[in-house]
Amino acid sequence: MNNTSSVADNSFPVADATAPTPAFSPLYQQIKGLILQNLQSGEWKPGESIPSEMELAARYRVSQGTVRKAIDELASDNLLIRRQGKGTFVATHAEHHVQYRFLKLVPDRGGDLDTEGPAQRDIVDCKRLRASADIARALALKTGDAVLQVRRVLSFAGIPTILEDLWLPGGPFKGLTAERLTDYHGPMYALFETEFGVRMVRADEKIRAVLPDATQSQLLKVDGGTPLLSVERIAYTYNDSPMELRRGFYRTENHHYHNALN
Amino acid sequence: MNNTSSVADNSFPVADATAPTPAFSPLYQQIKGLILQNLQSGEWKPGESIPSEMELAARYRVSQGTVRKAIDELASDNLLIRRQGKGTFVATHAEHHVQYRFLKLVPDRGGDLDTEGPAQRDIVDCKRLRASADIARALALKTGDAVLQVRRVLSFAGIPTILEDLWLPGGPFKGLTAERLTDYHGPMYALFETEFGVRMVRADEKIRAVLPDATQSQLLKVDGGTPLLSVERIAYTYNDSPMELRRGFYRTENHHYHNALN
DNA sequence: CAGTGGTCTAGACCACCAA
DNA sequence: TGGTGGTCTAGACCACTGC
């Protein structure tokens, strides 16, 4: 099968005669793209299993090894999870083992956030408003577009530790209410998956050291001179489109942000 | 080739009859271990190329595909770098492209630390002393063992931005002097590779928000009320043995610590 | 036991690089 | 042009899971 062919019945051009470089794209990358489409379209939902390697190989008219390499990359991107003997599954935030997939704050002693008991989540505020210029830019919206703003406090062992403001695009998250957030016990990203079909697959964080303003120090019960970790996160769905802006303020007297560098 | 066999002439047991689980280890993992040994022993040095896949396959009496999978994993761990048409090379810190492999501080505007010109490195202090209890624990030494302590300030565009204290085990770094550090222009980890044969392959960081003490505020030219990012890093060599403890204090008025979450 | 992912092989061919 | 890594295939066998 040469470089200009497409896969099975799907039209999937891999060469562009006008480009200076022919943009060679390996077969397994094309397969990866096709699988990605099925994930994006919601045909294969978080937690469910996808067809077996043999079945996909037959469907796309390639060898099992080629499908395997495509799945390997998607698995290392944390989009799929392989389970020997059982199948390959769409990754989800709704599993206890990956409770805090994007939250890298850990207690100085203990290793796990939940060692001091489950987190207490308090929704302080949840309202609909129009996006300011910087919020709009972060979410790839236009200034004035409808967005949802949520403010919440996470407490561990009764100590308020994290204050978060989030902004969500109004469209995809239509119908999200403070009540719904309060009633739901589990990771917020899991709620987004099940209720709104939005799965966060990666995120970027910008971290700074700041001093709290009056509101922040009151909500976190610290004085104005206590430095906080400011964590600004933009989370993305499948097609690299931003779906959440989150500004977190972490107390770090007894916790730290842990990062593994490879 | 079955599970209890070893690879070529190397004795490399893969099964333990006494263990409850037979500890099955795939062939490519064994190959990975053998390659790792060659890296650790310094037989293949940073920047050099390792033997071709075909040659390694012949040496270890396995197929090229098996060697390939072993190298694939080492490459994704950033221990090796593949270059199509040229060969596979031992990763190094002495390349301009990866100048700041472990330094995740970036300017708010500009994207690259060097956009404001090259960093200015000032060695403030460099002395030999005996390890305190916590330094010793971090470096897997005994309290009182000889360690080297270095303090330096990094400035960007003339503004002191990073203050770092580092501790290095006295043994591997015997002969390191302030003069040597001052004269060397390039990443410190590159110096460690060429002069001491110590290559850092991964690191853990603990990040907090703190206020500077008197010395810190003086060296960074900030007042005592300016919050700083405290970054405590332990860097490891091949065999996961800690080789450096580094405590950094970052100014984050115009820079931020960037982290990509997958 | 059948079905899934995981390993290993052997061989063909392609893309890239340097001499 | 020869050598290197990169892709793709087909087939055999192994390890794990659940019925």
Side-chain angles (χ1 to χ4, degrees), chain B residues 24 26-28 61-66 69 84-86:
Chain B
F24 164 76
L27 246 190
Y28 74 86
R61 311 290 180 84
V62 298
S63 76
Q64 188 202 9
T66 300
K69 179 139 187 175
Q84 181 171 148
K86 301 177 73 173

Side-chain angles (χ1 to χ4, degrees), chain A residues 110-133:
Chain A
D112 196 333
L113 266 181
D114 281 331
T115 42
E116 301 146 343
Q120 181 185 338
R121 305 173 167 92
D122 294 307
I123 305 293
V124 177
D125 194 18
C126 175
K127 62 187 173 209
R128 217 156 298 274
L129 43 78
R130 309 225 154 261
S132 64

Side-chain angles (χ1 to χ4, degrees), chain B residues 1-24:
Chain B
M1 191 176 285
N2 69 37
N3 189 22
T4 57
S5 71
S6 40
V7 174
D9 295 329
N10 297 283
S11 179
F12 201 88
V14 291
D16 178 359
T18 67
T21 306
F24 164 76

Side-chain angles (χ1 to χ4, degrees), chain A residues 71-174:
Chain A
I71 293 179
D72 277 345
E73 292 207 351
L74 291 168
S76 80
D77 289 342
N78 293 310
L79 296 184
L80 296 177
I81 298 176
R82 323 193 69 142
R83 288 195 231 273
Q84 181 172 145
K86 301 175 75 171
T88 301
F89 298 79
V90 182
T92 173
H93 289 270
E95 291 186 357
H96 289 296
H97 311 279
V98 290
Q99 184 86 288
Y100 300 109
R101 174 102 181 299
F102 287 164
L103 179 52
K104 315 210 45 161
L105 195 73
V106 295
D108 291 340
R109 274 181 277 278
D112 196 333
L113 266 181
D114 281 331
T115 42
E116 301 146 343
Q120 181 185 338
R121 305 173 167 92
D122 294 307
I123 305 293
V124 177
D125 194 18
C126 175
K127 62 187 173 209
R128 217 156 298 274
L129 43 78
R130 309 225 154 261
S132 64
D134 59 329
I135 303 286
R137 183 163 16 87
L139 293 176
L141 300 173
K142 292 196 195 75
T143 303
D145 281 358
V147 294
L148 230 128
Q149 180 180 3
V150 179
R151 167 169 290 181
R152 69 165 181 175
V153 174
L154 297 189
S155 302
F156 302 100
I159 304 170
T161 306
I162 297 179
L163 166 63
E164 286 180 322
D165 284 309
L166 331 72
W167 291 267
L168 303 164
F173 289 95
K174 184 152 51 184

Side-chain angles (χ1 to χ4, degrees), chain B residues 209-226:
Chain B
V210 301
L211 292 177
D213 63 25
T215 310
Q216 291 162 351
S217 66
Q218 184 208 327
L219 286 167
L220 286 173
K221 294 179 179 155
V222 296
D223 67 75
T226 305

Side-chain angles (χ1 to χ4, degrees), chain A:
Chain A
M1 193 174 286
N2 70 37
N3 190 25
T4 58
S5 71
S6 40
V7 175
D9 295 329
N10 297 282
S11 180
F12 201 88
V14 290
D16 177 359
T18 68
T21 306
F24 164 75
S25 170
L27 246 190
Y28 75 85
Q29 289 284 6
Q30 305 177 38
I31 305 300
K32 191 177 167 183
L34 293 175
I35 295 176
L36 220 30
Q37 284 180 18
N38 284 325
L39 292 173
Q40 269 180 62
S41 71
E43 187 174 339
W44 300 332
K45 297 195 170 57
E48 294 177 2
S49 73
I50 71 172
S52 73
E53 294 180 353
M54 291 299 280
E55 193 175 332
L56 289 174
R59 178 184 307 187
Y60 297 137
R61 311 288 181 84
V62 297
S63 76
Q64 189 203 9
T66 300
V67 169
R68 173 157 264 277
K69 179 141 186 173
I71 293 179
D72 277 345
E73 292 207 351
L74 291 168
S76 80
D77 289 342
N78 293 310
L79 296 184
L80 296 177
I81 298 176
R82 323 193 69 142
R83 288 195 231 273
Q84 181 172 145
K86 301 175 75 171
T88 301
F89 298 79
V90 182
T92 173
H93 289 270
E95 291 186 357
H96 289 296
H97 311 279
V98 290
Q99 184 86 288
Y100 300 109
R101 174 102 181 299
F102 287 164
L103 179 52
K104 315 210 45 161
L105 195 73
V106 295
D108 291 340
R109 274 181 277 278
D112 196 333
L113 266 181
D114 281 331
T115 42
E116 301 146 343
Q120 181 185 338
R121 305 173 167 92
D122 294 307
I123 305 293
V124 177
D125 194 18
C126 175
K127 62 187 173 209
R128 217 156 298 274
L129 43 78
R130 309 225 154 261
S132 64
D134 59 329
I135 303 286
R137 183 163 16 87
L139 293 176
L141 300 173
K142 292 196 195 75
T143 303
D145 281 358
V147 294
L148 230 128
Q149 180 180 3
V150 179
R151 167 169 290 181
R152 69 165 181 175
V153 174
L154 297 189
S155 302
F156 302 100
I159 304 170
T161 306
I162 297 179
L163 166 63
E164 286 180 322
D165 284 309
L166 331 72
W167 291 267
L168 303 164
F173 289 95
K174 184 152 51 184
L176 182 58
T177 63
E179 193 183 19
R180 192 75 196 81
L181 283 168
T182 305
D183 291 350
Y184 189 81
H185 298 284
M188 196 177 283
Y189 289 158
L191 175 69
F192 293 173
E193 284 177 5
T194 55
E195 297 287 309
F196 305 96
V198 175
R199 169 166 163 74
M200 307 299 188
V201 299
R202 86 184 171 80
D204 274 319
E205 289 190 336
K206 296 181 179 181
I207 305 168
R208 290 184 172 77
V210 300
L211 292 177
D213 63 24
T215 310
Q216 291 162 351
S217 65
Q218 184 208 326
L219 285 167
L220 286 174
K221 293 179 180 153
V222 296
D223 67 76
T226 304
L228 300 176
L229 217 54
S230 156
V231 180
E232 177 172 314
R233 176 196 302 168
I234 298 180
Y236 300 84
T237 13
Y238 286 115
N239 33 328
D240 270 337
S241 61
M243 278 306 232
E244 182 201 57
L245 168 64
R246 188 183 289 219
R247 292 196 175 131
F249 297 90
Y250 302 175
R251 286 177 59 176
T252 55
E253 303 100 305
N254 299 114
H255 295 75
H256 61 269
Y257 184 106
H258 178 260
N259 197 20
L261 307 179
N262 299 304

